[in-house]
Amino acid sequence: MTVDREEFKKKLTGNNKKFFNEIEEYLMSNDGLDRFAINDFLSSLQMDILDAQEDGKSAKEFFGTDALTYVKDIESTLPKSSKSEKLNNILFSLGVSLFFLVLYLFLHLFIIGENNVGLLQIALLIILLYIWWFCDRKLTRTTTFKSKRAKNIAEKVSKAILIIPMFFGNYLPKGYNINLTIYGKLGLILACIVMLILIFKAFNYFDNKERSEKGRQLLDNGKKEKP
């Protein structure tokens, strides 16, 4: 029987909760693993930890190792993500990058009042934003830090990377310059928004395809989605 993951966590002692949280965070941020298999494993893991706790053992004692070592051993046994899921990860990353590009263009074209953009500049902005998203996921979500302070520093570094394209993008080489009227500005913003909608439409399509192929619904946070 599937137990609500948040309800389950409330039953855990401090060290056992930390053990489970580290494994959950590590696996859920790994884009290369099958999402369904991860949720199945976590559902099984939460029952094992709860049983061990009721027997007076900590999770570390029960599994004979710390959370990071244990999850790295388990990681190799879990199935890899499908092509649909990998494509979804790429689409989601592009969608996030495009979202921040829309914010940048709105800021510089309407708030600051710039009247031109460069095609090379936009391409470089998308690349920088994609790099930021990659660093944010790998640096602050996948890595298990020894202290909260180290994680806070990593999160600040990730935010600093985002500042570069958002506030200093105007200093990037523009390449082929396009002068824009007010209608041109609105058209560019709308075109980006349409692309953003199409990307997330495609994301939903492949997500639904993945669910259909698996023959069951994705478990999100230990709970089945409502039909």
Side-chain angles (χ1 to χ4, degrees):
M1 184 178 70
T2 303
V3 179
D4 183 296
R5 202 169 293 161
E6 292 306 316
E7 288 298 320
F8 153 74
K9 288 180 183 180
K10 292 177 183 178
K11 299 177 182 178
L12 295 181
T13 58
N15 287 333
N16 284 344
K17 183 183 289 186
K18 181 181 178 183
F19 187 95
F20 182 83
N21 283 342
E22 286 182 359
I23 292 176
E24 180 185 37
E25 181 179 340
Y26 184 93
L27 291 177
M28 294 302 286
S29 62
N30 190 330
D31 295 334
L33 297 177
D34 183 90
R35 194 65 52 192
F36 298 92
I38 290 174
N39 278 285
D40 282 347
F41 168 74
L42 290 174
S43 295
S44 174
L45 178 67
Q46 65 188 38
M47 300 308 297
D48 288 340
I49 293 177
L50 197 57
D51 288 343
Q53 182 172 288
E54 290 173 353
D55 291 337
K57 292 183 179 180
S58 68
K60 186 175 182 179
E61 291 171 334
F62 181 78
F63 293 105
T65 185
D66 62 274
L68 187 57
T69 302
Y70 176 69
V71 74
K72 285 187 175 181
D73 288 339
I74 291 296
E75 184 180 18
S76 61
T77 68
L78 295 173
K80 303 300 181 182
S81 58
S82 66
K83 289 182 179 179
S84 295
E85 195 168 351
K86 289 177 180 177
L87 183 57
N88 256 359
N89 291 330
I90 294 172
L91 287 171
F92 188 78
S93 299
L94 286 174
V96 171
S97 301
L98 191 57
F99 172 76
F100 280 103
L101 177 63
V102 170
L103 290 182
Y104 168 83
L105 290 173
F106 181 81
L107 174 68
H108 283 267
L109 295 177
F110 291 95
I111 305 301
I112 297 178
E114 296 284 341
N115 291 317
N116 58 74
V117 293
L119 295 181
L120 177 61
Q121 180 189 28
I122 291 177
L124 290 173
L125 280 168
I126 292 175
I127 292 171
L128 285 171
L129 287 166
Y130 192 91
I131 291 172
W132 160 75
W133 177 247
F134 177 84
C135 291
D136 180 69
R137 287 190 64 81
K138 298 300 179 184
L139 186 62
T140 66
R141 302 187 189 189
T142 306
T143 307
T144 301
F145 296 93
K146 292 183 178 179
S147 67
K148 190 173 181 180
R149 182 183 178 187
K151 186 171 184 178
N152 289 336
I153 291 173
E155 288 173 348
K156 289 177 181 177
V157 169
S158 176
K159 290 182 176 65
I161 294 173
L162 176 61
I163 288 173
I164 295 172
M166 288 300 293
F167 294 98
F168 297 98
N170 211 38
Y171 296 98
L172 293 172
K174 292 191 174 184
Y176 182 73
N177 244 359
I178 302 175
N179 292 316
L180 298 170
T181 63
I182 184 64
Y183 298 108
K185 294 179 183 180
L186 289 171
L188 181 60
I189 294 290
L190 287 174
C192 289
I193 291 174
V194 168
M195 287 177 61
L196 186 60
I197 292 171
L198 290 175
I199 285 174
F200 282 104
K201 285 281 186 182
F203 174 86
N204 287 330
Y205 169 78
F206 286 107
D207 186 49
N208 291 332
K209 182 180 178 182
E210 178 74 8
R211 295 166 191 265
S212 177
E213 288 173 353
K214 296 293 181 180
R216 56 199 171 100
Q217 291 184 318
L218 176 65
L219 294 175
D220 182 16
N221 200 28
K223 295 187 288 187
K224 287 186 177 180
E225 290 185 346
K226 296 180 181 179

